[in-house]
Amino acid sequence: MLRREENERITRSGPGTPLGRLMRAYWQPAALVSEMDPQRPVKPVRLLGEDLVLFKQAAGGWALVGRFCAHRGVDLAYGRHEDGGLRCLYHGWLYGPDGRCLEQPAEPPHSTFASKVRIPSYPCVERNGIVFAYLGEGGPPPMPHYDCFQAPDEYTFAFKGLWECNWLQGVEGGIDPSHVSFLHRFIDEDPRDVYGQQFSEEVAGTGQKLSKLVGDAYRPDIEVEQAEHGLRVYALRQLTDEIRHVRITNLVFPNAFVVPFGNDKVFCQWHVPIDDYHHYWYMIFYDFAEPTDKQTLLAQRLDEVSLPDYRPLRNRANNWGFDPAEQRDLTYTGMGLDINVHDQWAVESMGPIQDRTVERLGVSDRAVTANRRLLLRAIDAFEAGNPVPARPADEAAAAELTGPLAVDTVAPTDGWEQTWREREAQRRAGSPWAGDSARSAVGAPARSAAGDA
């Protein structure tokens, strides 16, 4: 349970808010490369409560500038993409990638007025199908060397989805290990055998799909430790006296998490505020063993959303497709086979911003409470001008931010910590692209309890 002022402090991300200033100090996803029209790569973007326009630069790379012309407030999302920037349709003012006004055709030839005009602009970088933007003050930090950024393009897949609730609800759903035993459960067994579906994969050494295993072992021991990237979360399920299921997920501070997909696949997912009541999740899915089947993954995702806003077809307006017969006979939720919809329902049904002053948390919520404490401390630290988690000061520090390690395996009850690290090192050593990262990513454990509920 939080005090009302604490709940406001960790959910309100608009310009000038304490949380907003903190989140702007990190690179944030702004758009998918695939959603940019090759014929006219210009797109309006609303990010952290700001209205912006993303466009392709003539020399390569991306530019992100304020959406409205400084002259009379006209919408630059409709501007002409020409002469190295965006030209306003109203009076022809031209803005460059840095937001500077380059031309004012209607002004006298000798006028220097243009040199005094500038709209907001923010640096951008492209990583594995996502354009990231830095909206903070000063120069941006270097990008961390996380696996999702280090993986070659052919081993990755990027996508996004719109959820109609506050960003923190999405993050808290992703770092909650116990919900998977219920929310994603099937009445009999997951009937799918579909590429890239997380809970339909078999857990090596068990003969069971993940959905069945976690559904049967519904009371995991949950441990949380601090890590360079944020938090590492262990969900330990005792299968027999001799073996236990080890599932390791991660909070990547401030608004992402990393989750394993069976033996070789992992994804990193960011939850990025559009405003305080809506957000996009962005995902980079990556495979340690084989190139990804991008076309199959894209077709699967497009079956579930409407374009151009990436809004799920199952949503609040149609009760998330709830079917009582399906709930009785097939899925625990009655809301279809796509687990993204299950998660979406859980966090959207709380309301636009969850009232955390009335909730009751238990031991199984350790990761959620640890994250809230971390977030509140980081907001205070940033306001005081002190370092904050997972924001590297230089390239050497960025190179230390590797992984994070995301594991789904079975290990002996005795010695499980060493076993999963050895298997992770083997996986990386055998990967076509991750072998060089094995030593830096899989080190000795630095167990530091992040606190109980």
Side-chain angles (χ1 to χ4, degrees), residues 15-17 20-26 50 121-123 134-141 382 391:
T17 63
R21 288 194 294 270
L22 174 67
M23 295 189 77
R24 284 167 173 77
Y26 295 81
E50 292 190 48
S121 67
Y122 302 108
Y134 178 75
L135 276 63
E137 298 178 0
F382 192 72
R391 187 180 190 274

Side-chain angles (χ1 to χ4, degrees), residues 188-340:
D188 184 12
E189 185 173 296
D190 187 343
R192 298 169 296 174
D193 184 15
V194 180
Y195 175 69
Q197 296 292 332
Q198 180 181 5
F199 285 86
S200 63
E201 288 214 1
E202 183 178 302
V203 179
T206 68
Q208 291 184 327
K209 291 184 177 181
L210 181 60
S211 58
K212 179 72 164 65
L213 187 151
V214 299
D216 289 346
Y218 54 80
R219 188 178 289 118
D221 292 326
I222 296 172
E223 299 181 18
V224 183
E225 67 182 23
Q226 294 181 359
E228 291 298 319
H229 58 267
L231 298 173
R232 185 174 294 115
V233 183
Y234 299 82
L236 309 172
R237 292 174 166 88
Q238 200 69 42
L239 303 183
T240 69
D241 290 342
E242 291 78 27
I243 62 171
R244 60 176 43 171
H245 178 240
V246 180
R247 184 168 171 82
I248 301 172
T249 57
N250 301 268
L251 168 81
V252 177
F253 194 83
N255 59 319
F257 53 83
V258 173
V259 176
F261 252 67
N263 299 320
D264 296 311
K265 303 174 182 64
V266 180
F267 71 83
C268 184
Q269 187 174 105
W270 293 261
H271 287 257
V272 185
I274 300 170
D275 52 38
D276 290 339
Y277 309 106
H278 308 81
H279 75 275
Y280 278 114
W281 59 260
Y282 285 83
M283 172 189 71
I284 296 179
F285 171 96
Y286 51 100
D287 194 318
F288 283 103
E290 299 177 350
T292 53
D293 184 346
K294 292 179 186 283
Q295 292 305 311
T296 294
L297 289 169
L298 180 61
Q300 289 172 354
R301 297 315 319 150
L302 290 178
D303 280 345
E304 302 289 343
V305 302
S306 61
L307 299 180
D309 60 359
Y310 292 81
R311 189 185 190 205
L313 297 176
R314 294 171 181 257
N315 53 64
R316 183 183 292 277
N318 56 30
N319 296 321
W320 298 276
F322 176 70
D323 180 351
E326 180 197 307
Q327 188 182 59
R328 182 189 65 235
D329 299 330
L330 180 59
T331 66
Y332 198 77
T333 63
M335 299 178 193
L337 301 179
D338 182 8
I339 67 169
N340 289 284

